[in-house]
Amino acid sequence: MQNYYILLEISESATQTEIKAAFKKLAVRYHPDKHAGDEHMAERFKEINEAYQVLSNPYEKARYDIKLTYGRSAETTAYETPTRPAYKPIPKQYRRNYSEAKVDWRENWIATAYAFIFTFIVASVVMLAIFIKNFYDEKQHEELLLERRQRFEVAVENFRMGQIEDALLAFNELTPHMKEEEDMASYTTEIYSDFIEKAETHYYSLQFENAIYYYELIERFSPKKPIVLKEHLAKAYARINQPHEAIKMFTQLLVLGYRNLDCYIAMAEIYRDQLGNLEEAKRYYVHANELAIKQYRSVYGRAYPLVIQGKHLPPMHYNLFTSLAHIYLQLEMYEKALNTTDWNVQIWPDSAENYALAAMGHLALDHTAEACDNFLIASALGYNGTVQIDCNR
């Protein structure tokens, strides 16, 4: 049997890394390309490759090692004639008469009893330790429940006395509640439910400062903060002329992925009317415009410009596109303003305001004829705004 280890010039304890290194070294030495026409070298390279294929595979290597070991044993014993040793009887003095062995049942019973007693004592100690631990844990649990109950009662009293924020902080510190504290959990839930009801009632009654008070309590202390309440808080800030607080809350909504048309329009109006930042106002109007177009496509498909009608759209959409046209005119982006008014009069053909805006855009670009055409349509539709164009010359 050929010895692959000798063939690769390595020891039988060689690692896979050493086997691989040895193969590379010998493959370079005996490669047929370096010895063209030399059949001996080609045969040598073939043997080296065969040895590497076996030794580099752990499974094949293990089988080969077994064969190699037993092959050696066979070689060493091939010409030896096995001889049976002569029988020699065991001397009498060393023989043992097993029939004479006797079982001592008394000792067996005593050993068994000792083992049972020892096991019983160990089990008793373990059970006692478990009982003591459970008793101690239960006592600690009862003490913890009592301490938490006392804190809860103090917080309830503070709430009744009007110390709302301190009470809410204490309620939050007691969450999550344990299974024995269902009444505490229900009490806290009822408080926040009452806050939500009061906030929404004040909001829809246009009592925005009162609404903000409850919205802020929910925002600061409630473990759950419904998105719609954040939106109402932002709009309430805007209605009492707190634009920066409103923008901060609207930005949180956008970060949370709450990107609806109403939010974008509200932010644009705050930048336009309260902060006087027309560039930012334009940016949010453009976002709102893109969102509206996306909605149209999802409902009407790509042919939405041909089928959509202004009478089927909420007033918010008219305000969006008309305000965007105004912003473009104020920023002297006249081409964009005209593109927007073209869309607007297509969807709302009776909009005198948009015809007037188109007239202003054409006039700014010295398109006098187009300006007059749009102004005359606006006038026919009842436009009586500040823009006047003399089209009689």
Side-chain angles (χ1 to χ4, degrees):
M1 180 177 180
Q2 192 171 23
N3 191 316
Y4 289 152
Y5 293 102
I6 296 176
L7 195 60
L8 292 180
E9 301 178 3
I10 56 176
S11 67
E12 294 182 11
S13 61
T15 63
Q16 286 295 322
T17 302
E18 293 171 337
I19 293 170
K20 186 175 182 180
F23 170 70
K24 287 184 177 180
K25 176 182 175 183
L26 295 174
V28 171
R29 184 190 305 170
Y30 294 107
H31 199 282
D33 291 346
K34 297 182 67 175
H35 307 281
D38 190 333
E39 294 183 0
H40 174 71
M41 290 297 180
E43 184 63 28
R44 182 70 169 174
F45 179 80
K46 182 178 179 181
E47 292 174 348
I48 291 168
N49 186 54
E50 180 183 343
Y52 175 69
Q53 293 302 321
V54 171
L55 297 185
S56 63
N57 185 321
Y59 176 71
E60 294 296 332
K61 181 177 181 298
R63 294 183 61 190
Y64 173 76
D65 288 344
I66 292 172
K67 288 181 181 180
L68 186 63
T69 301
Y70 283 101
R72 286 174 182 158
S73 299
E75 290 174 3
T76 57
T77 60
Y79 301 103
E80 294 178 3
T81 302
T83 57
R84 184 175 180 178
Y87 173 76
K88 294 182 180 180
I90 300 175
K92 189 174 182 180
Q93 63 269 27
Y94 297 115
R95 296 178 187 177
R96 183 175 180 182
N97 188 355
Y98 290 94
S99 61
E100 295 178 0
K102 294 182 179 179
V103 177
D104 191 336
W105 294 104
R106 183 174 180 279
E107 290 185 1
N108 282 354
W109 278 108
I110 292 173
T112 302
Y114 278 128
F116 176 78
I117 293 171
F118 176 77
T119 303
F120 177 78
I121 292 172
V122 170
S124 299
V125 170
V126 171
M127 293 299 294
L128 180 61
I130 294 173
F131 174 79
I132 293 173
K133 183 180 184 305
N134 289 340
F135 177 81
Y136 179 75
D137 290 344
E138 185 176 347
K139 185 175 179 60
Q140 277 196 320
H141 183 68
E142 290 176 356
E143 291 175 354
L144 178 61
L145 284 174
L146 179 61
E147 186 264 336
R148 286 170 57 85
R149 178 67 61 176
Q150 291 172 348
R151 288 165 57 193
F152 173 75
E153 291 174 356
V154 171
V156 170
E157 185 62 25
N158 288 340
F159 187 80
R160 290 172 181 166
M161 297 295 293
Q163 300 175 20
I164 305 299
E165 295 187 7
D166 291 341
L168 294 178
L169 281 172
F171 290 143
N172 285 351
E173 290 173 356
L174 293 170
T175 56
H177 295 93
M178 301 181 183
K179 63 180 181 180
E180 298 91 344
E181 299 174 337
E182 291 183 1
D183 60 320
M184 293 165 55
S186 298
Y187 184 88
T188 307
T189 301
E190 288 176 6
I191 286 177
Y192 288 115
S193 297
D194 183 59
F195 285 171
I196 291 173
E197 182 179 352
K198 289 179 178 178
E200 293 288 87
T201 300
H202 288 305
Y203 178 82
Y204 287 109
S205 301
L206 306 184
Q207 300 173 14
F208 297 111
E209 291 187 355
N210 292 335
I212 287 173
Y213 171 75
Y214 289 106
Y215 283 139
E216 286 183 340
L217 288 177
I218 296 168
E219 185 68 21
R220 290 173 57 194
F221 299 106
S222 176
K224 296 181 180 179
K225 304 172 179 60
I227 289 290
V228 68
L229 300 187
K230 287 179 175 286
E231 182 182 2
H232 288 176
L233 176 57
K235 290 180 178 178
Y237 280 137
R239 295 296 294 270
I240 65 169
N241 199 29
Q242 293 188 23
H244 295 291
E245 293 297 326
I247 291 295
K248 185 190 301 182
M249 189 57 59
F250 276 125
T251 302
Q252 286 186 25
L253 289 169
L254 295 180
V255 170
L256 292 172
Y258 190 69
R259 297 178 173 87
N260 66 12
L261 200 62
D262 206 11
C263 284
Y264 281 125
I265 293 175
M267 293 184 77
E269 290 175 349
I270 292 170
Y271 277 111
R272 181 192 65 188
D273 301 333
Q274 298 185 34
L275 298 176
N277 190 335
L278 296 183
E279 282 291 344
E280 281 297 292
K282 181 202 74 174
R283 188 163 76 91
Y284 285 103
Y285 274 130
V286 168
H287 283 313
N289 172 74
E290 292 171 350
L291 185 58
I293 298 300
K294 185 177 179 180
Q295 292 174 356
Y296 300 156
R297 284 179 178 166
S298 67
V299 176
Y300 301 102
R302 292 185 177 276
Y304 71 90
L306 302 176
V307 298
I308 197 169
Q309 297 181 29
K311 64 182 179 180
H312 298 145
L313 299 176
M316 180 193 342
H317 291 241
Y318 175 82
N319 294 334
L320 161 62
F321 295 115
T322 303
S323 297
L324 183 58
H326 271 290
I327 289 287
Y328 281 141
L329 282 175
Q330 289 175 277
L331 293 175
E332 300 180 357
M333 302 171 71
Y334 302 119
E335 293 292 346
K336 286 186 176 293
L338 291 175
N339 289 337
T340 305
T341 53
D342 285 346
W343 161 263
N344 293 350
V345 297
Q346 176 184 338
I347 305 302
W348 295 278
D350 57 347
S351 173
E353 182 180 11
N354 275 287
Y355 280 109
L357 290 174
M360 294 167 63
H362 283 298
L363 190 63
L365 294 172
D366 293 327
H367 301 161
T368 306
E370 291 86 347
C372 285
D373 290 342
N374 281 278
F375 181 73
L376 291 174
I377 296 173
S379 299
L381 290 171
Y383 177 74
N384 57 0
T386 58
V387 179
Q388 297 296 323
I389 303 176
D390 186 3
C391 297
N392 296 321
R393 291 183 294 178

